[in-house]
Amino acid sequence: MERYRSGWFHRLLASTGANGRGGRPGRDRVHLVSRSQHAIDRCFGATRVSGSRPVAARTLIFVVVASFATLIAASCDPTTPPAAAKFDWGLLDKDAGQGAELLDGGNATLDPAHRYVVTFRANDPKGVSKVSHYASGTFKCQTDVDQNGQSFTLGGLRVSIRSVETAINPGLYYGFVMGPEFRPDRLSCGKHANSGQVREYFVGAGTLEVTGQSTNHAGETVTAKVQLRI
């Protein structure tokens, strides 16, 4: 995956300490979240994860949200309309300490054993009132190695990652939504019968398609996609 060294997503990465820099992991980051609570709420409102009640955006994933607190407090200006619409993605590899920016229609290859967070960002001169994203794909899946040293495989299994939606406060032209952390090789393909036994299968190989949607102030919805190869 290409290392991304400039722009909004690198500022996020640097502030987490994921690349070897940043504040102390305890007190400093708690202070950052508290200090920037008003900025986060003013810019981005609340986030809804499918199957749960709304929660403040800062409570989703603590380490990554602490970095957003730093970024937002320093550079949030969502009240100015951009010259042109832009819909892009941030891909954070938490284990490698690397971030990449992906444009609409882009793709990347994931390390199956690493943890990732995907962020969809919308910047629209017609305004942004809501952003969401979800992911799904068809995979060749496999079981964990059992006590006899055996592993079983099945192909054509569908896998999805729960949808996440963020309502953006009225009058703003920028919004983002951050998905749940996931590790590709621990995404469950469900339990299936094979050789007389029911076993749980996990993603082995395939492509995860991530779909982002942004709704503007006129109620129009734009769809953007990226593909993540596993």
Side-chain angles (χ1 to χ4, degrees):
M1 182 174 63
E2 179 184 359
R3 191 172 180 88
Y4 182 74
R5 294 184 177 276
S6 62
W8 70 275
F9 200 73
H10 182 67
R11 292 199 301 274
L12 180 154
L13 185 66
S15 65
T16 65
N19 59 355
R21 298 188 299 273
R24 291 169 294 174
R27 182 178 303 172
D28 287 353
R29 289 177 188 168
V30 172
H31 177 65
L32 287 174
V33 172
S34 176
R35 178 166 59 89
S36 303
Q37 173 179 345
H38 176 70
I40 293 173
D41 292 341
R42 176 174 60 83
C43 293
F44 304 111
T47 297
R48 180 183 295 275
V49 178
S50 178
S52 71
R53 57 188 176 86
V55 295
R58 62 185 179 277
T59 64
L60 286 179
I61 304 175
F62 178 75
V63 173
V64 179
V65 170
S67 70
F68 269 113
T70 303
L71 175 62
I72 293 166
S75 62
C76 177
D77 183 18
T79 60
T80 302
K86 182 180 180 182
F87 306 95
D88 57 13
W89 303 81
L91 176 64
L92 175 63
D93 183 336
K94 297 183 69 175
D95 291 298
Q98 294 181 354
E101 184 179 49
L102 302 175
L103 300 179
D104 180 20
N107 62 81
T109 300
L110 307 185
D111 185 319
H114 283 201
R115 297 168 299 150
Y116 293 91
V117 175
V118 180
T119 301
F120 174 56
R121 187 175 75 155
N123 204 2
D124 194 336
K126 294 183 178 181
V128 178
S129 60
K130 181 175 66 177
V131 286
S132 64
H133 84 64
Y134 58 92
S136 64
T138 301
F139 295 89
K140 178 180 179 181
C141 301
Q142 60 197 26
T143 65
D144 290 334
V145 177
D146 63 20
Q147 59 186 4
N148 298 316
Q150 294 180 308
S151 177
F152 300 85
T153 62
L154 285 175
L157 299 181
R158 292 288 295 176
V159 174
S160 61
I161 297 177
R162 68 183 186 273
S163 62
V164 183
E165 180 180 291
T166 297
I168 306 302
N169 289 334
L172 303 183
Y173 297 89
Y174 169 86
F176 73 85
V177 60
M178 182 170 57
E181 177 185 307
F182 69 96
R183 177 175 152 173
D185 66 357
R186 301 316 295 171
L187 290 174
S188 177
C189 304
K191 294 183 177 180
H192 303 273
N194 191 351
S195 301
Q197 290 188 340
V198 176
R199 300 176 174 87
E200 185 170 11
Y201 288 74
F202 299 92
V203 163
T207 299
L208 186 68
E209 184 174 76
V210 189
T211 301
Q213 292 187 319
S214 173
T215 303
N216 63 30
H217 295 161
E220 302 165 335
T221 298
V222 175
T223 298
K225 296 183 178 184
V226 291
Q227 294 190 333
L228 305 178
R229 297 185 295 266
I230 299 170

